[in-house]
Amino acid sequence: MYEEEDIVPGLLELIESEFDERTYNSEKLKNALKLLKNKQANYKTANEFAIEIGEILSDVLNVHVTSEVLPGGKMHFNIADRVMNVTLKKNHELIASFAKDVQTELNHQAGLKLKGQKAPLNQDRIDGLVDKLSNADSFEDVKWLLDEPIINFSQSIIDSTVKENVEFHAKAGLKPKINRVARFECCEWCQRLQGIYDYKNAPDDVYKRHRRCRCNVEYDPQKGKVQDVWSKQWIDPMAETKKILRQSLNSKK
């Protein structure tokens, strides 16, 4: 009985090899890592890091995943499932780890000796992409899914990192503010969403983005220090809350 050749192992080897080479040589990624090392990285840095990772992965997928390579010119489920899960999970790990380290440094600069919270993997989003790719009769009809949706997925990891850390700090008794920064010449929807929001009053759409959206969603805990007018000493109005939070975390170790 004739068995169709499994193209996935060889395909993944080509994709991962080129992806690793391009990310290693990316000047944008090198610059982002340098900023992090020098304690100068912020969420703008993280968003640019995510876009670069997403663009590289999208380019590499488009080079190696083509109708000519796919059996019958169709992205069958067993191919889409393995290729997209392997590549997007690696994509998530790289971006989520970088964003977590950025948040950790921002916490330290604000006097919070806490590690940043890591964004969870959005498996539902990967599954949805796999279904769309594999349900089409022709790969040509859905190959656009390897373009902007890959970059958008990458940016969403930064948005999830902001959400995780804002919620974590809010539960700890802090009063986080979310800053959504619209890009120049963005759409009306993005313009309406831009602004600084208290965690409790933030609109539901603050973490959402449409296709080709390049807005930034940011969170910086700030130092939160004020000067006592009598002693002229710099004090932290949330010092007690931070102390309780540290004790709570240490007790769980």
Side-chain angles (χ1 to χ4, degrees):
M1 181 178 177
Y2 172 75
E3 292 186 4
E4 192 172 78
E5 179 185 1
D6 184 2
I7 68 168
V8 174
L11 189 58
L12 280 175
E13 184 177 352
L14 289 171
I15 291 170
E16 292 187 304
S17 176
E18 184 172 344
F19 177 81
D20 289 345
E21 181 180 357
R22 288 190 56 180
T23 52
Y24 179 80
N25 291 314
S26 169
E27 291 300 323
K28 290 183 180 179
L29 298 184
K30 288 179 182 178
N31 183 59
L33 291 169
K34 183 178 180 180
L35 288 172
L36 180 60
K37 181 180 179 180
N38 293 336
K39 305 182 187 302
Q40 297 174 327
N42 52 31
Y43 271 103
K44 181 176 182 294
T45 313
N47 194 51
E48 291 172 351
F49 183 93
I51 291 172
E52 178 70 357
I53 291 284
E55 288 181 344
I56 291 174
L57 178 57
S58 175
D59 288 347
V60 172
L61 287 172
N62 274 285
V63 168
H64 297 289
V65 182
T66 64
S67 296
E68 291 72 26
V69 170
L70 298 171
K74 174 181 171 62
M75 177 74 97
H76 296 276
F77 178 82
N78 68 322
I79 298 175
D81 184 51
R82 287 182 287 167
V83 170
M84 301 316 296
N85 268 286
V86 169
T87 56
L88 289 179
K89 284 180 179 179
K90 182 173 182 177
N91 170 289
H92 169 268
E93 181 60 29
L94 289 170
I95 297 170
S97 295
F98 182 82
K100 175 187 174 183
D101 289 344
V102 169
Q103 183 65 56
T104 297
E105 183 54 39
L106 292 174
N107 288 347
H108 290 176
Q109 291 175 12
L112 295 167
K113 302 303 180 183
L114 302 170
K115 290 184 178 180
Q117 301 299 296
K118 190 174 183 179
L121 176 70
N122 190 337
Q123 186 63 51
D124 287 343
R125 190 161 180 174
I126 297 176
D127 292 343
L129 192 57
V130 169
D131 287 342
K132 289 178 181 178
L133 285 166
S134 58
N135 285 337
D137 293 330
S138 171
F139 175 67
E140 289 298 311
D141 294 336
V142 290
K143 65 180 183 180
W144 63 271
L145 291 168
L146 301 184
D147 295 324
E148 178 60 24
I150 300 297
I151 302 168
N152 194 285
F153 172 85
S154 302
Q155 289 180 274
S156 73
I157 299 168
I158 304 301
D159 304 332
S160 294
T161 302
V162 172
K163 185 176 182 180
E164 285 292 311
N165 284 278
V166 163
E167 291 180 350
F168 178 66
H169 286 186
K171 289 176 182 177
L174 304 179
K175 297 180 179 179
K177 293 181 182 293
I178 306 161
N179 184 20
R180 177 152 181 145
V181 183
R183 293 292 296 268
F184 180 67
E185 294 184 346
C186 63
C187 68
E188 291 184 7
W189 183 78
C190 286
Q191 289 178 9
R192 289 196 300 269
L193 270 179
Q194 72 174 332
I196 300 175
Y197 302 95
D198 290 329
Y199 165 69
K200 292 183 178 180
N201 300 322
D204 294 337
D205 289 342
V206 71
Y207 298 110
K208 296 180 180 179
R209 61 177 67 247
H210 55 75
R211 193 184 304 175
R212 303 191 187 284
C213 174
R214 295 295 183 265
C215 296
N216 288 347
V217 181
E218 305 173 350
Y219 170 52
D220 186 343
Q222 299 295 332
K223 294 190 175 181
K225 293 182 178 180
V226 297
Q227 190 178 41
D228 184 277
V229 294
W230 298 109
S231 66
K232 304 301 182 183
Q233 296 294 315
W234 288 99
I235 60 174
D236 186 345
M238 295 184 179
E240 187 61 29
T241 300
K242 295 173 184 177
K243 179 180 178 181
I244 294 172
L245 176 58
R246 286 193 292 268
Q247 291 174 342
S248 175
L249 290 174
N250 289 333
S251 67
K252 295 178 182 179
K253 293 181 179 179

